[in-house]
Amino acid sequence: MKRARVVVALLAVVGVGLVLSGVFAGASEEPAVGDVADDRLIAVDGEYRLWPYTSRSRSVEGRTLAINVVFHADAATTRAAIEGDPTANWEETEPDEAASTADDDDQVREFVARDWRDAHSSLRYSYVEGPSGGAWLTETFELHDGAYLGVRDHLRAYESPDGSYTAIQAHEEYYDWFRLRHTVPDIDAPALRLESEFVESDRATDVRREYRGIDGGRSDGWLSVIELAAAAALAGALLGRRTRETATDLVRRLRTDVGRHATAATLGLALGAVLVGVRVAGVTLEAALPGASPKAIAAPLYLVLVVGLPALVVWRAPGTDPAAAALAVVVGLGGGFLADFAALGVAVPPDLIVHRVALLAALGVVAIGRAAADRSVVVAGLAAWAVGLALPLMSVI
């Protein structure tokens, strides 16, 4: 009877978690805005005023993230200044690739010290208005700093029609294995990181922040403005490479009697190791196979998570105490989630926290069912796991 109450409680957690993750996800969407009104445009330089946002479509209803950096230079000069030394080994990304791959042989450094490269992903538009009317712009170029299957800063650049400035939308994104796409946790920090690379640099004559009252698109209202030094725009390597703080000592121990709960402890460690191992394998393969599409690498690794995690529970849970098996799932896989996010160094969006809790609860139900040899409970847990994986793929979460 007690076990039944535990199973019901865990399934309730799954349901509530999935519902709340959808609620949080919906709440994070920017509200739709009307036509581009005159007071929504900002003066930057030259004859074209800028609508300081990006959009999924050629309409303001598709508004996404806010523009947060502006270079007073054309796109070619801006790109050369960001990339630094033109003799450096910068790779041109083919149009049909989802993103560039890394070429650094040091896999550890690939995780924590990243390089700017070309990046292509979902098309985003921005809008300008000048003497001849308004125009929707596509990205002039995109660059990223980091690994597609890890964490990276991503820049989308839009050159004004008269070439007087280049507007940039900078955001941080990480590859979420349970959504099979990138998630954006922040736009302020990457803008400041890009800005900091030009502070006290001979490639810029002025670096400043201007408050423009930009509302929405995750903006804090401020715009980083960079005046490039014309003579130095095409010279000098990128300075101030940053390293990311990586969290350590995140291994969580099961408070168990080793003799009695060794199998449960092994299960928890294995679940955490699989989750972290998939991230490491993805970044490593991306670096080792520069010609491969990151999505082609991600596909089989995603199957490892979808099938491998519940398979581990089904295999190792029999013969263990049901409570210990469930605890092993929560602590082991939960510790893996924490280690993954900490290694990436990203803030976890609230909707993903409740989604991960729901997935933990689903596998906890599977573990209880296998430990108690109750097939109906196992089926309920696997069904909840399947629903938890399906909702992100349908863009519900």
Side-chain angles (χ1 to χ4, degrees), residues 154-166:
H154 186 189
L155 309 182
R156 301 178 189 271
Y158 303 85
E159 183 183 40
S160 66
D162 59 1
S164 60
Y165 65 86
T166 301

Side-chain angles (χ1 to χ4, degrees), residues 1-17:
M1 192 66 181
K2 182 179 179 181
R3 184 168 64 235
R5 287 197 295 268
V6 173
V7 171
V8 170
L10 285 175
L11 287 174
V13 170
V14 175
V16 172

Side-chain angles (χ1 to χ4, degrees), residues 204-221:
T205 59
D206 186 30
V207 179
R208 62 185 183 275
R209 303 205 80 209
E210 298 180 356
Y211 185 76
R212 294 302 192 94
I214 301 170
D215 181 27
R218 299 198 190 184
S219 176
D220 60 0

Side-chain angles (χ1 to χ4, degrees), residues 273-291:
V274 168
L275 184 64
V276 175
V278 163
R279 176 73 69 185
V280 174
V283 174
T284 301
L285 289 172
E286 183 179 347
L289 303 172

Side-chain angles (χ1 to χ4, degrees), residues 248-338:
T248 58
D249 195 25
L250 288 171
V251 178
R252 304 279 302 273
R253 296 183 180 181
L254 290 170
R255 297 179 60 183
T256 62
D257 172 23
V258 175
R260 184 183 177 193
H261 299 307
T263 301
T266 302
L267 171 61
L269 291 173
L271 290 171
V274 168
L275 184 64
V276 175
V278 163
R279 176 73 69 185
V280 174
V283 174
T284 301
L285 289 172
E286 183 179 347
L289 303 172
S293 166
K295 292 184 178 180
I297 296 173
L301 292 176
Y302 177 68
L303 290 178
V304 171
L305 294 176
V306 171
V307 178
L309 294 178
L312 266 175
V313 175
V314 170
W315 174 41
R316 299 296 293 172
T320 63
D321 178 76
L327 182 62
V329 170
V330 172
V331 175
L333 189 56
F337 285 140
L338 292 176

Side-chain angles (χ1 to χ4, degrees), residues 17-394:
L18 294 178
V19 170
L20 287 179
S21 58
V23 169
F24 278 115
S28 65
E29 292 293 327
E30 290 296 335
V33 294
D35 295 334
V36 181
D38 188 72
D39 60 0
R40 289 187 177 271
L41 301 173
I42 62 172
V44 179
D45 196 7
E47 298 183 325
Y48 288 84
R49 291 183 299 163
L50 173 70
W51 181 59
Y53 304 97
T54 57
S55 176
R56 298 183 183 90
S57 60
R58 289 184 174 89
S59 68
V60 293
E61 283 75 18
R63 187 182 74 179
T64 55
L65 303 177
I67 299 292
N68 48 7
V69 183
V70 167
F71 285 82
H72 282 198
D74 60 44
T77 302
T78 297
R79 178 171 181 167
I82 295 174
E83 290 180 324
D85 190 344
T87 63
N89 188 27
W90 305 118
E91 299 178 68
E92 183 71 23
T93 304
E94 297 298 326
D96 59 347
E97 291 182 17
S100 65
T101 55
D103 60 0
D104 197 332
D105 291 332
D106 186 346
Q107 307 305 328
V108 175
R109 196 165 66 120
E110 177 59 35
F111 223 101
V112 298
R114 305 179 295 161
D115 300 323
W116 290 106
R117 293 178 178 82
D118 296 304
H120 292 273
S121 57
S122 302
L123 187 62
R124 295 289 184 266
Y125 303 91
S126 192
Y127 178 87
V128 293
E129 192 167 292
S132 57
W136 287 97
L137 307 177
T138 57
E139 298 102 333
T140 310
F141 66 84
E142 292 183 63
L143 298 174
H144 78 265
D145 176 4
Y148 182 96
L149 297 179
V151 63
R152 65 183 188 176
D153 285 352
H154 186 189
L155 309 182
R156 301 178 189 271
Y158 303 85
E159 183 183 40
S160 66
D162 59 1
S164 60
Y165 65 86
T166 301
I168 286 182
Q169 200 297 301
H171 61 271
E172 183 179 57
E173 60 187 23
Y174 69 92
Y175 190 80
D176 192 304
W177 286 102
F178 290 91
R179 304 176 80 203
L180 292 182
R181 60 182 183 268
H182 282 115
T183 294
V184 176
D186 190 24
I187 75 167
D188 295 331
L192 291 176
R193 285 193 286 266
L194 178 61
E195 173 189 299
S196 69
E197 294 178 354
F198 290 88
V199 175
E200 298 182 0
S201 166
D202 59 3
R203 292 171 295 136
T205 59
D206 186 30
V207 179
R208 62 185 183 275
R209 303 205 80 209
E210 298 180 356
Y211 185 76
R212 294 302 192 94
I214 301 170
D215 181 27
R218 299 198 190 184
S219 176
D220 60 0
W222 291 85
L223 196 65
S224 296
V225 179
I226 300 174
E227 305 276 358
L228 290 178
L234 298 177
L238 269 178
L239 301 177
R241 285 186 174 274
R242 63 184 178 84
T243 59
R244 306 185 61 82
E245 278 192 17
T246 57
T248 58
D249 195 25
L250 288 171
V251 178
R252 304 279 302 273
R253 296 183 180 181
L254 290 170
R255 297 179 60 183
T256 62
D257 172 23
V258 175
R260 184 183 177 193
H261 299 307
T263 301
T266 302
L267 171 61
L269 291 173
L271 290 171
V274 168
L275 184 64
V276 175
V278 163
R279 176 73 69 185
V280 174
V283 174
T284 301
L285 289 172
E286 183 179 347
L289 303 172
S293 166
K295 292 184 178 180
I297 296 173
L301 292 176
Y302 177 68
L303 290 178
V304 171
L305 294 176
V306 171
V307 178
L309 294 178
L312 266 175
V313 175
V314 170
W315 174 41
R316 299 296 293 172
T320 63
D321 178 76
L327 182 62
V329 170
V330 172
V331 175
L333 189 56
F337 285 140
L338 292 176
D340 184 43
F341 281 120
L344 295 176
V346 299
V348 186
D351 55 309
L352 296 189
I353 294 177
V354 291
H355 178 249
R356 296 303 187 268
V357 170
L359 291 180
L360 287 177
L363 282 191
V365 171
V366 176
I368 290 175
R370 284 294 286 169
D374 191 329
R375 180 174 297 181
S376 62
V377 173
V378 174
V379 171
L382 291 176
W385 173 258
V387 171
L389 295 175
L391 291 181
L393 301 183
M394 295 185 294

